[in-house]
Amino acid sequence: MIERLEDSFDQIRQFTSDASHELRTPLTILQGELENSPAQQQTREEYSVVIASALDEVIRLSNVVETLLELSRAGWWKGKHEL
């Protein structure tokens, strides 16, 4: 029984690590783009590229969050499943 509990905790730790990484990467990209953009004198087209890239990252984050919610609703943690 203790071994099963330890396995469950290991799975939760791995899942949390994976989810954190999936969320951190687009947030880091967004932060870098948005912090650097005002510091540089850019054309309207260049700003449009930055905004489009930021939107892509927001969509990516939304997809990750939606997947996490679906896993939660499906009771992912009750079985031995991997992402």
Side-chain angles (χ1 to χ4, degrees):
M1 182 172 149
I2 300 264
E3 186 176 323
R4 285 194 328 228
L5 283 172
E6 288 175 350
D7 288 345
S8 292
F9 284 127
D10 287 343
Q11 285 181 345
I12 291 169
R13 272 191 287 276
Q14 184 62 50
F15 177 80
T16 302
S17 175
D18 293 345
S20 296
H21 177 74
E22 288 297 319
L23 293 169
R24 189 176 341 155
T25 299
L27 285 171
T28 300
I29 292 169
L30 271 171
Q31 183 177 359
E33 288 177 343
L34 296 174
E35 284 178 348
N36 291 328
S37 186
Q40 302 170 1
Q41 194 169 22
Q42 298 181 354
T43 65
R44 180 178 288 254
E45 291 78 22
E46 290 169 327
Y47 278 118
S48 292
V49 169
V50 170
I51 291 169
S53 178
L55 180 58
D56 287 344
E57 295 305 323
V58 168
I59 291 168
R60 181 176 166 196
L61 281 168
S62 294
N63 290 336
V64 169
V65 169
E66 186 62 33
T67 300
L68 291 172
L69 286 171
E70 289 173 10
L71 289 171
S72 174
R73 290 181 190 133
W76 173 85
W77 64 91
K78 293 179 183 177
K80 293 193 175 203
H81 306 288
E82 293 185 27
L83 287 178

